[in-house]
Amino acid sequence: MKVRKKILLAIVSACLTVAAFPTTSFAVSYTATRYDCSGGVCVKKTTTAPSPSSNGVNYTPVSASAQEKALLQMVNAERTRYGLKPYTLNASLSGVARVKSTDMINNRYFAHQSPRLGSVRDMLSAAKISYRGANENIARYGSLQKAFAGLMSSPGHRNNLLSKVYTQIGLAVVQDASGVFYITQIFISN
């Protein structure tokens, strides 16, 4: 697979459990496979849950994990190298990014458009985050260094990383049960 198709953007903690199935008033339910990553290692779990509602997802601001902080340092070092101001890490954006990375693992897809959550703009609206401009990078790699190199080698992702327009970033780094990192980066300008 080409490098540019393996890319995602954001940083979050290594393994997370996000409430992927918010409580709703629907009577319909379905069986879903998810990963519980609370113990540092992701474990596959099958659960029955109510039908999801993208409006009910809990987009909670999050603190950056060590891996997310490392990725932010890589991003801002590259920006500084090109004479650009460093991005400001936004905990609310990181919460949205974490939901996206976890959603990709739990629902077995890798794309900017989530079948459950919609686009990055849909997620930002649901999280009540205001912005003038927004974009997203995603990556799926075995290491942060390879993910960052892949993002920088893709013109579209590189443009987001080195943009003069965006000022804030949200990052998520979530590891699946096989050790692959799902990285989401969300950029906004106000």
Side-chain angles (χ1 to χ4, degrees):
M1 193 181 243
K2 290 184 179 179
V3 171
R4 65 183 355 165
K5 289 188 179 181
K6 292 184 178 180
I7 296 179
L8 173 111
L9 206 76
I11 293 188
V12 172
S13 79
C15 286
L16 305 167
T17 301
V18 174
F21 308 109
T23 304
T24 66
S25 59
F26 294 107
V28 177
S29 65
Y30 63 98
T31 302
T33 301
R34 336 175 354 114
Y35 291 91
D36 178 358
C37 304
S38 57
V41 175
C42 294
V43 177
K44 188 175 180 178
K45 300 219 177 210
T46 302
T47 58
T48 300
S51 297
S53 164
S54 62
N55 294 333
V57 174
N58 183 11
Y59 294 105
T60 305
V62 294
S63 298
S65 69
Q67 292 168 327
E68 292 164 346
K69 289 176 184 175
L71 184 56
L72 180 63
Q73 288 176 349
M74 287 185 249
V75 169
N76 282 337
E78 198 69 12
R79 288 181 63 79
T80 301
R81 191 177 128 199
Y82 284 90
L84 301 167
K85 290 182 182 178
Y87 278 126
T88 301
L89 184 62
N90 180 315
S92 294
L93 286 178
S94 292
V96 173
R98 188 172 290 170
V99 167
K100 172 65 181 270
S101 287
T102 304
D103 186 61
M104 287 192 290
I105 293 170
N106 288 341
N107 294 295
R108 296 187 181 127
Y109 72 94
F110 181 73
H112 290 287
Q113 182 75 21
S114 165
R116 198 172 77 79
L117 304 172
S119 70
V120 67
R121 287 167 183 80
D122 295 329
M123 292 183 293
L124 293 173
S125 293
K128 298 183 181 357
I129 296 174
S130 62
Y131 61 91
R132 189 175 301 172
N135 222 326
E136 171 188 69
N137 284 348
I138 59 172
R140 181 176 58 189
Y141 282 94
S143 77
L144 291 181
Q145 294 76 13
K146 287 182 181 179
F148 184 70
L151 290 167
M152 287 302 292
S153 68
S154 165
H157 296 96
R158 179 186 177 92
N159 287 343
N160 288 336
L161 288 165
L162 300 178
S163 174
K164 294 178 183 178
V165 175
Y166 303 122
T167 57
Q168 298 178 49
I169 190 171
L171 301 168
V173 176
V174 182
Q175 194 171 24
D176 72 8
S178 64
V180 174
F181 292 101
Y182 283 71
I183 297 167
T184 301
Q185 299 170 326
I186 300 175
F187 309 90
I188 64 167
S189 62
N190 289 325

